[in-house]
Amino acid sequence: MGVCLIGIIASVLSLVLKKDRPEFSLLVVLSAGLIILLLILPAARIAAETIMTISEIAGIGGEYITVIIKSCVIAMITSVSASTCRDAGNSALALKLEIAGRIAIIILAVPVINTLFNIILSVIK
Amino acid sequence: MKIILLIILILSGNANAMETEEIISRQLEISGADEIYINDDINFAEIAGDLISFESPSSESIIKMFFEKMFEAVRESISLCLVVILVVMVLNIITNAVGNNAAVFEISFYVCYMVIFMMGTVSFKRATDIARISIDELNFFMKAAIPVLGSLMTASGGVARTAHAGASVIAISTTVSAISNVLFPVSTMSALISGVGCLSGERSLKGFSSALKKASLWGLGIIITIFTTIMSTKSFAAVNLDNVTGRTVKYAAGTFVPVVGGMLSETLGSIIACGRLVKGAAGGASVIVLLYLCLSPMIKLVAIIVAYKFTAMIIAPVSDGRLSGAIEEFTSSIVIILSMVIFTAVMFIICAGIIAAM
């Protein structure tokens, strides 16, 4: 509820401010985005913890679930910040952010890739 | 007078029965059936003895063992499927929460795919290990059982057929090495290639992997044809030769040995008949042991297949088509592995049956 209110107020404010002070309009949008993310953070933590508990109850390798959750979260953060950059008119920067996010995910997945290759090699031998 | 006659009859009958039993147990002992050790649950010589005295193992215990093994196998394979389902669900929840139009999500999808591919490969490795071990066990048992059956064959007057048993040992080891050295790697390659091919979403590698799959199935069919041909044609010739030899020996004993010749010939006949009985029982016991040996790996493989079909069914509506496609590819490769185990077991059962029936 609060999140929705903040979003609507921020967008109306930025619309009003856009004519006279465009730099303030951008600041309003950015701060509203930050507040929304901060409000959502506890809920996101609860969701991640729930998934981890489920994987623990099922008695399965938590490390892969962690990698998957982390990679999805990195993807989320990257896409949010890249879209913010696009709002600010910096689509080139947004592209670089996305590339950085992809590389981060690949680095995160290095242990998974290693394990996968070892398993495949052991199967072929 | 009549009573005395009756007593003599009963006594002689008993004596005869005792003699036959003694011959049978002696033949079973000499054949070396006691020395075939399979595991603690099952004893080859005991089964053969039970079969001679018309005692079959109770069906209740067999059914109980079957269900116990099945539940155990299902429990083992269900954990892997839970991982796959959970990974797919997590991926879906997160991507749907944000919207999967962003290009960055493609990379995280690949990470998820890698994890699922890893699970698939692990379970595929488990399936091939199960199949390999079971084929090795079948091979090992057949190599132990054929000398026993061969010596019983000689005891029942089949010298030419015993020579043929040697050929069947060579045929069995060639078949087993062809299956485990050529067909297993080919089907493993096809599973891995089809798993990788599903990642792209295009059909580029599908033809290659399905060609490998077909090649392994065709190879299996050719091996079975050659094996059964060798086994059956050789046995036809050997049976007739041995019949002629057996008759000649019996006739010679009856004709050329003076005074006791007729009796000797009859005794020879009864010893040969006992040998046939023991050989039949040993053949029946080897079929039972073969069934026992291949039953538990087959149940395990079927449990893995069922669990994976179930997983593909659950995740198909909620996930990307590539994920469920990969799982289905792995399932079909495990089905090929299962068919290899079944064909090997059937081949060996035919082999034991031919040897026992000759």
Side-chain angles (χ1 to χ4, degrees):
Chain A
M1 185 70 188
V3 172
C4 300
L5 268 180
I6 289 167
I8 293 166
I9 290 168
S11 55
V12 169
L13 259 179
S14 77
L15 207 68
V16 172
L17 285 172
K18 212 166 218 169
K19 287 180 221 157
D20 309 326
R21 310 293 290 268
E23 66 274 15
F24 276 111
S25 135
L26 184 65
L27 273 180
V28 166
V29 171
L30 272 181
S31 48
L34 263 179
I35 292 166
I36 288 171
L37 282 182
L38 283 177
L39 280 177
I40 275 178
L41 212 57
R45 174 171 292 162
I46 291 169
E49 274 169 4
T50 315
I51 290 166
M52 294 299 285
T53 347
I54 291 170
S55 70
E56 266 169 30
I57 290 168
I60 49 188
E63 65 262 49
Y64 303 126
I65 301 285
T66 321
V67 168
I68 287 170
I69 292 174
K70 272 186 186 168
S71 75
C72 289
V73 169
I74 289 175
M76 260 190 239
I77 292 169
T78 322
S79 71
V80 165
S81 20
S83 58
T84 316
C85 287
R86 277 205 191 89
D87 284 351
N90 273 322
S91 55
L93 198 62
L95 196 69
K96 276 156 206 154
L97 258 179
E98 278 179 353
I99 290 169
R102 283 181 208 187
I103 290 170
I105 290 173
I106 289 169
I107 288 168
L108 190 72
V110 162
V112 177
I113 296 169
N114 272 337
T115 328
L116 180 64
F117 272 88
N118 284 332
I119 288 172
I120 288 175
L121 281 180
S122 73
V123 169
I124 288 172
K125 278 173 190 171
Chain B
M1 192 61 196
K2 272 182 186 173
I3 294 170
I4 294 170
L5 257 178
L6 202 69
I7 288 170
I8 290 172
L9 243 170
I10 291 169
L11 277 177
S12 66
N14 268 350
N16 230 341
M18 284 293 286
E19 199 178 293
T20 320
E21 269 177 23
E22 205 175 288
I23 291 173
I24 288 171
S25 62
R26 187 94 185 97
Q27 279 178 339
L28 200 60
E29 201 186 309
I30 290 171
S31 69
D34 288 336
E35 283 165 24
I36 298 181
Y37 176 76
I38 300 144
N39 56 31
D40 293 332
D41 296 342
I42 191 161
N43 188 338
F44 182 75
E46 250 176 43
I47 294 173
D50 284 351
L51 282 175
I52 289 171
S53 51
F54 295 111
E55 281 172 22
S56 56
S58 71
S59 52
E60 265 178 37
S61 66
I62 291 174
I63 292 171
K64 202 180 153 199
M65 191 191 80
F66 178 78
F67 277 107
E68 267 174 13
K69 284 205 183 293
M70 199 166 80
F71 285 132
E72 198 187 299
V74 168
R75 212 182 306 133
E76 271 175 16
S77 59
I78 211 103
S79 68
L80 269 174
C81 295
L82 271 181
V83 179
V84 173
I85 294 174
L86 197 72
V87 167
V88 172
M89 292 294 176
V90 168
L91 178 70
N92 272 294
I93 290 167
I94 297 174
T95 48
N96 283 328
V98 185
N100 50 3
N101 46 3
V104 194
F105 279 103
E106 200 62 18
I107 299 285
S108 60
F109 172 78
Y110 284 155
V111 174
C112 283
Y113 189 89
M114 268 190 261
V115 171
I116 286 168
F117 188 67
M118 205 156 70
M119 307 293 167
T121 320
V122 165
S123 68
F124 188 76
K125 186 171 163 27
R126 189 196 274 181
T128 46
D129 283 348
I130 290 169
R132 211 181 276 272
I133 288 168
S134 84
I135 286 179
D136 279 350
E137 272 182 355
L138 290 175
N139 180 24
F140 184 73
F141 171 71
M142 278 309 273
K143 278 182 181 162
I146 279 178
V148 172
L149 291 173
S151 65
L152 287 171
M153 246 188 243
T154 320
S156 61
V159 185
R161 283 172 277 172
T162 315
H164 162 244
S168 64
V169 170
I170 296 169
I172 285 169
S173 41
T174 318
T175 313
V176 167
S177 71
I179 286 178
S180 58
N181 291 334
V182 180
L183 295 184
F184 270 172
V186 168
S187 53
T188 309
M189 287 298 277
S190 93
L192 292 178
I193 288 170
S194 59
V196 174
C198 280
L199 179 60
S200 70
E202 289 163 17
R203 307 242 151 202
S204 52
L205 286 171
K206 195 124 186 162
F208 188 35
S209 66
S210 69
L212 281 179
K213 249 177 222 171
K214 273 179 195 153
S216 58
L217 282 178
W218 272 92
L220 198 60
I222 291 167
I223 286 173
I224 288 163
T225 316
I226 293 173
F227 184 84
T228 35
T229 315
I230 291 174
M231 290 304 298
S232 45
T233 47
K234 278 209 142 195
S235 65
F236 288 142
V239 165
N240 291 330
L241 192 64
D242 279 338
N243 273 342
V244 174
T245 321
R247 270 163 214 275
T248 318
V249 167
K250 218 173 151 187
Y251 175 75
T255 319
F256 299 125
V257 179
V259 190
V260 287
M263 228 164 86
L264 188 65
S265 146
E266 284 308 306
T267 318
L268 209 63
S270 85
I271 287 176
I272 288 177
C274 286
R276 289 221 173 107
L277 183 64
V278 174
K279 180 165 67 76
S286 27
V287 170
I288 290 176
V289 171
L290 284 172
L291 280 176
Y292 170 83
L293 286 179
C294 70
L295 189 67
S296 107
M298 261 162 27
I299 292 170
K300 276 181 194 159
L301 290 176
V302 167
I304 292 176
I305 291 167
V306 168
Y308 266 76
K309 290 254 176 217
F310 188 65
T311 314
M313 196 179 80
I314 287 179
I315 67 167
V318 295
S319 81
D320 200 294
R322 288 176 276 178
L323 289 175
S324 53
I327 288 169
E328 272 168 16
E329 289 293 332
F330 272 117
T331 318
S332 68
S333 299
I334 297 175
V335 169
I336 290 177
I337 297 282
L338 172 69
S339 72
M340 279 177 198
V341 175
I342 291 175
F343 279 137
T344 316
V346 167
M347 251 172 2
F348 287 176
I349 286 169
I350 288 173
C351 178
I354 284 176
I355 289 174
M358 277 193 314

